[in-house]
Amino acid sequence: MKRFILVLLIVTISSCSKKTELDFQIQDHIPENSEVFLLSPDLEKFLREVRGNKFLSQSKFALKKNITEQLEHLSILNLKNETGISFSNLSTETPIYTIITIRDSSLIPLDSARNKSIETFKEGNLKYKRVNLNENKFFLLETGNTVIISNSRQNILNSGNQEKLLNSPTFNKAWNASDRNKTSIFLNHALIETKLSDIFQPLKFPGIKSFAEWSVLDIDISESNIKLNGISLNSNDDNILNRFRKIDPQQSEIGKICPGDFISFYSVGFSDFDMLYKNARNSKLDSIPSDYPGILKHARESASIVLTNGNILALNINEMESAKETLAGLGIVSEDFRGSDIIELNEDINFQKFFPGLMTLEIAKFYTVLENFVIYSSNPEALKSMITAFQNSDTLNNKQYFTDLMTSLSSETSMLFVVNSSDFAKKLDNEESTHEFKFNKNSLAALQVINEVDYAHLHVVLSNSEKVAQSNGAEQSSSIKIDSPISKAPVFFKNHRTDQMDIAVQDENNELYLISNKGNVFWKKSMDSQITSPIYQVDLFKNGNQQMAFSTGYHMEVLDRTGKKVKGYPIKFNQPLTQPLSVFDYDNNRTYRFVLTQNKKVYMVGPKGNAIKGFSFENAGSEIIKTPKHIRLGTKDYILIAEEIGKLNILSRQGTIRVPVSEKIDFSENEWFGYQNSFVSTNPRQNLIKISQNGTVSSTDLGLAENNRIVANRNNLVYLNENELSINSKTIDLDFGLYTDPQLFTVRNRTLIAITDTQTQKVYVFNDKAELLEGFPVYGTSQVDIANADLDSKLELLVKGEDNEILLYEF
């Protein structure tokens, strides 16, 4: 009987606990007029981080002052549970706040308050309190398991009566996209009417009110940096994000020409200006001309640059010779400045009309050309500043603090807004602003927007460090353990939701894991056998969502990032696959070709898992001994298939012989590579084998050992010969050991070569000049993967450590 009562008590307590969690739903109590909403799992910790940030603690601005005055009592309250704070009326001196948190008897520490009073009011069936703590007054409502605190009596009444509360499907999507383990900020763009618009105006940014409907940003704050990452969601055709429908983001190159002493620049990237313009004309804006200047048809990026002596419009041109034909006859040379012509236009151009609501631009009276940019201004002195900075290499791309910032952002962008923070603060001071921003020299702030089909990625970075970032060599950043020994070297896999890199790895029990770069296991999934191929990253639906494709013993698999099988996969075979999967993307347009091999037979399938018609090479004359490989030389595509009898088939996309090779090849274990417009590999007899595009075979005696290893790309040739590593004809004598095949990486325009000595468990990384990078070698026991795996300025190296350990290094 006692045992029964104990079990009943445990079940009752468990049920009450679950009911308590269900009763507490912050999103059910948010006022409908919320302009900004802050959600934090640990508000006290977040406030400590805010106070510890030098910029936020030392800067003065009206919004900070007004909110601080209203929320002084936060330091008194014990807000140790998940808490949400709604803000409205932010443009006034008395913002309205509403705090929502879980009911807790220790929330208000009455014993420690010097002056306190509590009054209870009843209106209808609703009871609420007015609390005075140390001269801080607020209203308090307890409903179910929720406590609501506000400086607005009306908000308390509305919440208690379930009236005028937020009911937005778009907000709900933003809520679901936020990271509940981080503090997040939600922006209601339609209601924001703060002084922020006054700040954005002198920087030529269109502002935030018409940007989207809702945005959510997860916040990371350190002593000198603030980073926010999230998404913007849209349902209003008038909003700015809708201008980018059917427009692919582009890589911003404004840093090539923007002077280092700039105040701000705002860049818009577009794959097709005509489509961008059609989107503008389809909006509800009036007075948009039916046509636009021909020069815009040649552009892929437009940037407004604010300088101390004027404003600039810079157009990044696809093909300058064609653009110059369009510009011919539109003006006359007014001045030759340092060898560059400054052209005065015959007729001024009001570019503002062609970027309505998207950019703030002045009338263009002059232009000049620098490399692949056409640069306009109303002031020739501003053009001279651009020319001078470019000729003196005093542009942003030559500044370490700018390149560090850009490595924290995605490589392609729809909108990019960068502020030279210290010069921006000076500009505001000159305009007698009430703001007082404390920025260090060379500190930058950036807002990046990357448009997708139904939403946009947002990245915000404020770097307020006075020191220029320096490399401190490779440092271990994390160690991640999995359940069983690792069977295949871990690799990076892009997380399209965060624009960072996750980790894919398989253990000896055939379990495939997807793990965040912080060590959180998203999922693990049993495979039929070991993965035999690289784990390829593909975008089958061309929407930015990433899938992983690979082969096992009898299957070809495609999984989405949740671990679910993509429709049409796996492709199963009754007999084993004899070569690993190959993935071809001839034109880098995500029209994939998956190539599978069984003995003499080649199967080529498309993104939906169906056989590709028109590929005529199905059966080789003998066993296929290497994975079929796609190589592009110049503008031509080649498919290489090696046979056991020494025949090398060099095929076209259609599977017909494109390069006849009459000689039989004595194949080594090395792959074939495209290098300096030829196909290269080695044979077991010390020779480098080169085949030209007309089929001529030549060999060079390099004195190679039988177990030589080679890797190459268009401009780099690397080979390992016992303990000698040759990088572009420069030889490095390594210690004798057991080395993995050398690996070649191109990351952020850097060429890196990695190799691991599995005997001494050391990982080496060299640059293309055969120089060992600072901080290497490091500990590791497998081949590596290298990428920019998070949003900071450093690269990450991924390698196996102990049997079941994954190591991450930053360098």
Side-chain angles (χ1 to χ4, degrees):
M1 184 65 179
K2 290 182 179 178
R3 183 175 296 174
F4 173 77
I5 293 173
L6 179 60
V7 171
L8 182 63
L9 181 61
I10 292 172
V11 171
T12 303
I13 293 172
S14 176
S15 300
C16 290
S17 176
K18 290 179 180 178
K19 185 178 186 304
T20 295
E21 292 177 7
L22 291 173
D23 285 346
F24 180 63
Q25 297 289 336
I26 287 178
Q27 62 268 43
D28 292 341
H29 302 279
I30 302 173
E32 68 176 2
N33 63 344
S34 299
E35 298 172 16
V36 174
F37 183 75
L38 185 78
L39 179 67
S40 179
D42 188 339
L43 191 61
E44 292 181 357
K45 177 185 176 184
F46 175 69
L47 292 176
R48 287 197 301 271
E49 291 172 345
V50 170
R51 289 190 291 269
N53 181 268
K54 291 183 179 180
F55 165 72
L56 292 175
S57 62
Q58 297 175 5
S59 297
K60 297 177 183 179
F61 46 96
L63 186 59
K64 173 189 172 184
K65 173 179 177 292
N66 295 338
I67 290 178
T68 301
E69 289 177 352
Q70 293 299 313
L71 293 177
E72 278 186 308
H73 58 286
L74 283 185
S75 60
I76 302 173
L77 302 180
N78 290 321
L79 294 167
K80 57 187 179 183
N81 297 303
E82 186 178 42
T83 302
I85 308 179
S86 162
F87 295 98
S88 56
N89 286 21
L90 287 173
S91 60
T92 69
E93 292 185 1
T94 310
I96 293 175
Y97 70 84
T98 301
I99 301 172
I100 308 160
T101 190
I102 196 167
R103 193 170 184 172
D104 190 324
S105 59
S106 64
L107 176 64
I108 304 176
L110 295 176
D111 294 340
S112 62
R114 297 190 306 274
N115 301 307
K116 55 181 179 289
S117 65
I118 300 178
E119 298 177 81
T120 301
F121 297 87
K122 184 175 182 181
E123 297 190 32
N125 296 322
L126 188 65
K127 283 186 178 181
Y128 63 94
K129 298 174 182 178
R130 184 171 66 190
V131 181
N132 188 336
L133 284 181
N134 298 344
E135 299 182 357
N136 293 290
K137 297 178 181 179
F138 55 86
F139 297 94
L140 181 146
L141 172 68
E142 296 174 319
T143 173
N145 198 41
T146 304
V147 173
I148 301 168
I149 297 171
S150 181
N151 61 347
S152 166
R153 170 180 162 273
Q154 189 60 54
N155 276 11
I156 291 290
L157 295 176
N158 289 343
S159 186
N161 294 320
Q162 290 292 290
E163 296 176 348
K164 298 184 178 180
L165 299 179
L166 185 61
N167 181 20
S168 166
T170 308
F171 174 82
N172 292 337
K173 291 179 182 178
W175 180 277
N176 293 331
S178 65
D179 186 344
R180 301 293 288 277
N181 295 315
K182 292 186 176 182
T183 297
S184 301
I185 187 169
F186 298 77
L187 305 177
N188 187 349
H189 291 272
L191 296 184
I192 292 177
E193 297 178 355
T194 67
K195 297 292 185 180
L196 289 175
S197 297
D198 297 336
I199 296 173
F200 280 110
Q201 185 175 0
L203 300 172
K204 307 304 178 185
F205 187 72
I208 57 177
K209 185 174 180 179
S210 60
F211 180 70
E213 185 174 353
W214 278 95
S215 294
V216 57
L217 294 148
D218 300 326
I219 307 172
D220 290 300
I221 299 180
S222 63
E223 181 180 353
S224 58
N225 296 304
I226 302 173
K227 294 183 179 181
L228 301 95
N229 297 290
I231 62 172
S232 285
L233 295 161
N234 204 15
S235 65
N236 185 344
D237 287 342
D238 292 340
N239 286 343
I240 289 174
L241 288 184
N242 284 312
R243 303 292 183 84
F244 293 91
R245 287 175 178 167
K246 300 181 181 179
I247 300 292
D248 294 329
Q250 301 291 298
Q251 183 171 355
S252 176
E253 297 182 320
I254 294 303
K256 290 181 178 179
I257 59 165
C258 183
D261 60 353
F262 80 118
I263 294 173
S264 71
F265 77 73
Y266 167 47
S267 163
V268 175
F270 40 86
S271 53
D272 182 351
F273 182 80
D274 191 57
M275 179 58 67
L276 186 75
Y277 198 63
K278 286 179 181 177
N279 291 341
R281 287 181 56 79
N282 289 334
S283 69
K284 297 179 181 179
L285 294 172
D286 297 327
S287 304
I288 301 179
S290 60
D291 202 2
Y292 53 83
I295 189 63
L296 293 173
K297 189 179 288 290
H298 299 282
R300 63 177 179 268
E301 181 184 14
S302 173
S304 170
I305 304 174
V306 179
L307 304 176
T308 55
N309 62 348
N311 300 315
I312 294 292
L313 167 65
L315 298 179
N316 189 350
I317 301 300
N318 287 307
E319 210 289 307
M320 183 54 73
E321 292 305 314
S322 298
K324 286 181 177 179
E325 292 179 9
T326 302
L327 293 170
L330 297 181
I332 59 173
V333 177
S334 67
E335 187 176 354
D336 179 341
F337 180 74
R338 295 190 177 186
S340 294
D341 290 339
I342 295 177
I343 311 296
E344 184 174 4
L345 291 163
N346 298 330
E347 294 184 10
D348 298 346
I349 304 176
N350 183 6
F351 280 104
Q352 178 66 50
K353 296 189 299 183
F354 311 109
F355 293 90
L358 189 61
M359 303 186 77
T360 302
L361 303 169
E362 295 182 351
I363 300 294
K365 299 178 180 293
F366 302 88
Y367 79 86
T368 191
V369 174
L370 288 176
E371 279 199 345
N372 57 303
F373 291 88
V374 180
I375 306 169
Y376 294 89
S377 182
S378 62
N379 178 7
E381 295 305 313
L383 295 180
K384 293 177 184 179
S385 296
M386 299 286 290
I387 296 168
T388 300
F390 182 78
Q391 291 182 339
N392 293 338
S393 299
D394 188 23
T395 56
L396 288 179
N397 273 11
N398 296 293
K399 307 295 182 183
Q400 184 67 45
Y401 54 87
F402 178 74
T403 56
D404 287 347
L405 175 79
M406 295 304 292
T407 56
S408 298
L409 302 172
S410 183
S411 59
E412 293 186 336
T413 185
S414 300
M415 304 166 70
L416 178 62
F417 177 45
V418 179
V419 177
N420 185 345
S421 306
S422 54
D423 286 352
F424 164 53
K426 292 176 185 177
K427 182 176 177 66
L428 289 180
D429 290 341
N430 293 337
E431 295 175 357
E432 299 181 355
S433 169
T434 58
H435 305 295
E436 186 180 339
F437 294 110
K438 296 295 184 181
F439 292 107
N440 292 322
K441 183 180 180 181
N442 296 338
S443 63
L444 298 176
L447 164 63
Q448 182 182 51
V449 181
I450 307 166
N451 202 53
E452 298 285 356
V453 177
D454 299 318
Y455 64 97
H457 294 287
L458 294 185
H459 303 302
V460 179
V461 180
L462 192 155
S463 174
N464 199 36
S465 175
E466 191 166 359
K467 295 181 180 179
V468 176
Q470 298 289 339
S471 172
N472 295 317
E475 295 180 351
Q476 182 179 317
S477 58
S478 64
S479 168
I480 304 165
K481 297 288 184 68
I482 63 172
D483 298 335
S484 301
I486 294 168
S487 61
K488 190 177 179 67
V491 294
F492 286 119
F493 180 77
K494 185 175 182 180
N495 186 328
H496 57 259
R497 296 172 180 171
T498 65
D499 272 347
Q500 300 186 48
M501 291 288 187
D502 296 329
I503 300 165
V505 66
Q506 190 179 32
D507 67 22
E508 290 181 352
N509 297 326
N510 300 334
E511 296 281 348
L512 175 63
Y513 297 72
L514 185 66
I515 307 170
S516 78
N517 56 33
K518 305 301 181 186
N520 300 317
V521 177
F522 294 120
W523 50 262
K524 66 176 181 176
K525 188 177 183 67
S526 295
M527 298 289 103
D528 66 295
S529 62
Q530 284 292 301
I531 294 172
T532 59
S533 72
I535 296 177
Y536 294 97
Q537 187 163 287
V538 296
D539 178 4
L540 294 188
F541 307 106
K542 299 185 179 183
N543 60 3
N545 294 350
Q546 304 295 307
Q547 300 89 37
M548 56 177 70
F550 53 87
S551 60
T552 60
Y554 289 79
H555 294 176
M556 182 206 155
E557 300 272 3
V558 181
L559 305 179
D560 66 20
R561 72 157 287 101
T562 67
K564 294 179 181 178
K565 296 179 186 294
V566 173
K567 185 178 179 181
Y569 298 93
I571 300 173
K572 299 182 179 181
F573 295 85
N574 294 325
Q575 298 297 320
L577 297 167
T578 55
Q579 294 296 331
L581 168 72
S582 294
V583 179
F584 300 166
D585 183 8
Y586 298 118
D587 299 312
N588 291 321
N589 61 359
R590 297 172 287 183
T591 303
Y592 302 101
R593 297 291 181 263
F594 299 115
V595 184
L596 300 155
T597 306
Q598 273 187 328
N599 301 315
K600 300 178 183 180
K601 189 170 180 61
V602 175
Y603 300 90
M604 182 177 285
V605 299
K608 295 182 179 180
N610 300 321
I612 295 294
K613 296 179 180 179
F615 183 73
S616 60
F617 189 94
E618 294 185 352
N619 288 291
S622 63
E623 182 89 6
I624 296 171
I625 60 173
K626 294 183 182 298
T627 306
K629 186 164 186 178
H630 166 243
I631 293 176
R632 170 166 281 194
L633 298 179
T635 60
K636 296 180 180 179
D637 294 293
Y638 302 91
I639 299 171
L640 277 65
I641 298 178
E643 296 184 36
E644 188 177 34
I645 60 174
K647 182 177 181 181
L648 180 62
N649 301 281
I650 304 180
L651 312 175
S652 67
R653 291 188 187 184
Q654 293 74 34
T656 58
I657 295 294
R658 185 163 197 172
V659 177
V661 181
S662 57
E663 292 187 29
K664 286 190 175 183
I665 307 296
D666 187 6
F667 297 110
S668 68
E669 293 184 9
N670 289 314
E671 295 179 32
W672 286 86
F673 300 93
Y675 172 65
Q676 293 183 345
N677 289 318
S678 296
F679 310 101
V680 298
S681 186
T682 65
N683 66 17
R685 297 187 307 277
Q686 305 179 340
N687 294 329
L688 177 74
I689 305 299
K690 182 181 293 186
I691 301 177
S692 70
Q693 293 180 64
N694 62 15
T696 302
V697 180
S698 60
S699 64
T700 303
D701 186 351
L702 298 178
L704 299 176
E706 185 173 348
N707 63 344
N708 64 81
R709 293 290 182 266
I710 184 175
V711 64
N713 60 20
R714 180 184 300 177
N715 298 311
N716 299 280
L717 176 64
V718 178
Y719 57 86
L720 176 69
N721 186 34
E722 294 185 336
N723 69 314
E724 292 182 347
L725 181 66
S726 174
I727 301 175
N728 298 327
S729 300
K730 295 181 180 179
T731 301
I732 304 156
D733 289 325
L734 302 172
D735 294 335
F736 284 98
L738 298 175
Y739 290 95
T740 61
D741 292 356
Q743 296 172 271
L744 191 57
F745 297 91
T746 302
V747 186
R748 302 285 189 188
N749 296 320
R750 296 173 65 186
T751 297
L752 302 173
I753 297 91
I755 192 167
T756 301
D757 183 352
T758 58
Q759 183 171 303
T760 60
Q761 301 174 332
K762 292 180 180 180
V763 178
Y764 297 84
V765 179
F766 300 87
N767 62 21
D768 57 355
K769 297 178 181 178
E771 298 167 338
L772 184 67
L773 298 193
E774 183 180 358
F776 288 93
V778 296
Y779 172 78
T781 60
S782 71
Q783 285 196 313
V784 308
D785 202 1
I786 296 175
N788 190 344
D790 53 26
L791 298 174
D792 64 17
S793 61
K794 294 185 177 182
L795 297 180
E796 278 73 33
L797 180 145
L798 181 65
V799 68
K800 175 185 170 184
E802 301 291 338
D803 284 350
N804 65 333
E805 182 185 34
I806 301 166
L807 294 176
L808 266 175
Y809 292 92
E810 285 189 341
F811 65 99

